[in-house]
Amino acid sequence: MDRKKELKLTYKQTSLPMGVYQIKNSINGKIFVGSSMNLPGIFNRHRFQLNAASHPIKDMQEDWHQYGSAAFTCEVLEVLKLEEVLKEDYQKTILALEDKWLTNLRPYGEKGYNKLKIKKT
C-alpha cells in the first residue's frame, strides 16, 4: 500500500473526539455552547467563519471584530464516551449532553450567544 493510501486509511479509522463545547469571550463573559461529532473540526470552523467575518451568530461576530481573537477561548465541556454508547446513538446522545449544558449554563441574552430554543411537545 502506498503511503498516501495508508495515511488516508489511518485517518478514517481514527475516532475524533465528539461532545459539547463552549466558546467564551473573556472580556464580557458571554459564552456559546454547542455540540459536534468532530470537536477539533468545529473549533476550526468557528475560527474560520469569525476571521472571514461570515459567522452566522452576528453578536459573536461583532464582539470578535471589537475585541479580537485573543479575547475568545474554545473549551471542551464534555466528551462523549464512545464505549458507553452505541454508534447509531452518538448524535442523539450528543444532543442530550448539549441540552444538559444549555440548561446548566443558560447562555442566553446577556450571558451568551445562544438563542433560546422552544421545545415542541
Side-chain angles (χ1 to χ4, degrees):
M1 183 181 307
D2 70 35
R3 182 75 176 137
K4 189 175 180 180
K5 285 184 180 179
E6 187 179 315
L7 290 171
K8 202 175 197 179
L9 181 62
T10 301
Y11 175 77
K12 286 182 178 181
Q13 293 174 340
T14 304
S15 1
L16 297 167
M18 306 176 204
V20 182
Y21 66 93
Q22 80 173 1
I23 299 172
K24 184 173 186 173
N25 180 331
S26 62
I27 305 295
N28 63 17
K30 290 178 94 173
I31 61 173
F32 173 78
V33 174
S35 62
S36 177
M37 302 280 283
N38 176 351
L39 290 169
I42 198 68
F43 290 148
N44 288 336
R45 178 180 177 183
H46 280 289
R47 280 189 204 98
F48 178 83
Q49 289 177 323
L50 289 162
N51 285 326
S54 63
H55 201 278
I57 302 172
K58 298 305 174 202
D59 292 346
M60 189 187 308
Q61 183 67 63
E62 289 170 9
D63 288 350
W64 183 272
H65 179 71
Q66 181 177 355
Y67 302 121
S69 62
F72 289 82
T73 57
C74 297
E75 177 185 351
V76 175
L77 297 173
E78 188 168 356
V79 175
L80 181 67
K81 294 175 182 79
L82 301 180
E83 65 278 359
E84 296 177 6
V85 180
L86 295 174
K87 189 173 185 173
E88 56 268 15
D89 292 335
Y90 286 174
Q91 185 69 38
K92 180 177 70 173
T93 305
I94 288 172
L95 291 174
L97 290 174
E98 180 182 2
D99 282 344
K100 175 185 86 171
W101 282 97
L102 288 169
T103 299
N104 290 340
L105 297 176
R106 315 238 7 101
Y108 309 109
E110 294 300 315
K111 289 179 66 179
Y113 299 108
N114 289 79
K115 301 293 180 213
L116 189 56
K117 295 177 189 175
I118 299 172
K119 290 187 179 186
K120 296 177 184 175
T121 56

